[in-house]
Amino acid sequence: MSTHKPPVIEFPCSYPIKVMGFATPNFTEEIVAVVNKHAPGVCDEHVSVKPSAKGNYVSITIVIEATGEEQLTIMFKELKTNASVKMVL
């Protein structure tokens, strides 16, 4: 029987963070602010925003320079505290 281990990420690396949530007026700015706090240097070219078909939800992908698992864990935890966030990947 083989045991599957998750792939090992070599840090530092470019790492996409995907956040989905309600399309509130300041949602994108709030998410970018949290990500920028943990991974400084996020600019417009690192951010892509896709609204849902009906415009009720939005998906934001931000590519960061990840420095380690601890950075990602803390950032994901803080992103999930936003009431408008439904999912963080």
Side-chain angles (χ1 to χ4, degrees):
M1 200 156 49
S2 67
T3 57
H4 294 283
K5 291 184 178 182
V8 176
I9 300 172
E10 291 186 29
F11 296 101
C13 65
S14 289
Y15 191 91
I17 307 287
K18 189 168 196 168
V19 181
M20 291 168 267
F22 293 111
T24 58
N26 298 317
F27 185 68
T28 301
E29 292 81 6
E30 291 169 3
I31 298 307
V32 170
V34 170
V35 171
N36 210 20
K37 182 169 119 180
H38 298 281
V42 173
C43 56
D44 288 347
E45 65 230 24
H46 299 135
V47 181
S48 65
V49 179
K50 286 184 180 178
S52 66
K54 294 183 180 178
N56 296 325
Y57 297 93
V58 65
S59 170
I60 303 167
T61 302
I62 304 171
V63 179
I64 65 162
E65 186 67 20
T67 58
E69 283 188 42
E70 182 179 6
Q71 173 201 34
L72 296 175
T73 301
I74 293 167
M75 184 185 336
F76 277 45
K77 190 174 185 178
E78 186 172 345
L79 286 166
K80 290 175 184 177
T81 65
N82 183 308
S84 295
V85 171
K86 299 309 282 173
M87 190 180 311
V88 180
L89 302 170

